[in-house]
Amino acid sequence: MREEIEKAIETLKQGGLILYPTDTVWGIGCDATNANAVNKIYKLKQRQDDKALICLVNNYSMLERHVDNVPKIAYTILDIADKPTTVIYDAPAGIAENLVAKDNTLAIRIVNHDFCEKLIKYFGKPIVSTSANISGQPTPKSFKEISEAVLKGVDYVVNLHQQKNGGNPSTIIKLSNSGQVKVIRE
């Protein structure tokens, strides 16, 4: 695993795209602070850049560095969640501008996956995570379902867990600083 983390980090530092296993489905990722890298993901996925992407962090501390005001309810929701949960927060900070939605929000998940946790820890920054498919195509449930276009479109494919079937996309909850809570995807 160490070698895979090192190769993935080198790719991320160079502004490249990685294809990697997550706590949900296989993801296309990049440095969440690098606008050029984020643009590469939009281009590869053939996705409009106004459709937001998810950002992964490895702990509450990193979350708090990239969200100006984490609502207290977020901690409760994340502590009791029984499956991967992505929260949309107001007023993100220190993230590539093209990753932030028009309403000044950002979807962030604290990852619960050994490889991802270590990758983010040693990289020291959040990484983008979006499903490993072209926009409009089905989300691959396993590595073998990932299209050739995606495999060829990334700069590095992590060589771990390729035989395992993936999970399901995360639950998405939007929390506004005004106290509103909205479930976007269960």
Side-chain angles (χ1 to χ4, degrees):
M1 182 183 302
R2 181 183 190 137
E3 185 177 327
E4 291 302 312
I5 289 170
E6 289 171 0
K7 289 177 180 177
I9 287 173
E10 189 57 37
T11 302
L12 293 171
K13 284 180 177 178
Q14 294 173 6
L17 304 185
I18 62 170
L19 180 63
Y20 66 110
T22 74
D23 54 343
T24 57
V25 297
W26 273 81
I28 302 169
C30 71
D31 176 351
T33 67
N34 182 329
N36 290 331
V38 173
N39 275 335
K40 289 179 187 178
I41 288 183
Y42 284 122
K43 186 176 179 182
L44 173 60
K45 286 188 65 86
Q46 301 171 24
R47 184 173 177 162
Q48 294 176 327
D49 64 4
D50 63 348
K51 192 163 182 201
L53 301 172
I54 293 173
C55 206
L56 299 182
V57 297
N58 66 330
N59 56 36
Y60 286 133
S61 177
M62 187 176 284
L63 170 67
E64 292 161 356
R65 282 196 307 270
H66 294 285
V67 175
D68 283 341
N69 181 23
V70 177
K72 287 187 191 255
I73 188 71
Y75 299 104
T76 303
I77 289 169
L78 294 172
D79 285 344
I80 65 171
D82 59 356
K83 67 180 206 174
T85 301
T86 300
V87 178
I88 301 172
Y89 298 94
D90 289 340
I95 296 293
E97 285 184 21
N98 56 346
L99 198 53
V100 178
K102 288 181 182 177
D103 63 353
N104 196 32
T105 61
L106 179 65
I108 301 176
R109 184 166 76 248
I110 298 175
V111 75
N112 182 15
H113 183 270
D114 193 40
F115 172 77
C116 289
E117 286 179 43
K118 288 177 179 164
L119 174 64
I120 295 165
K121 175 183 177 181
Y122 295 120
F123 184 53
K125 297 189 250 183
I127 58 175
V128 170
S129 181
T130 183
S131 57
N133 61 315
I134 304 300
S135 267
Q137 299 296 316
T139 299
K141 296 288 186 196
S142 66
F143 180 80
K144 65 184 176 201
E145 293 179 15
I146 297 170
S147 74
E148 197 66 28
V150 170
L151 290 168
K152 288 182 176 180
V154 298
D155 300 294
Y156 185 70
V157 177
V158 173
N159 190 20
L160 291 173
H161 309 299
Q162 293 181 0
Q163 305 308 317
K164 290 184 182 178
N165 283 335
N168 294 311
S170 65
T171 296
I172 300 178
I173 299 173
K174 186 170 187 176
L175 298 180
S176 68
N177 286 341
S178 66
Q180 185 179 19
V181 177
K182 183 179 180 183
V183 176
I184 306 293
R185 178 174 71 197
E186 285 192 58

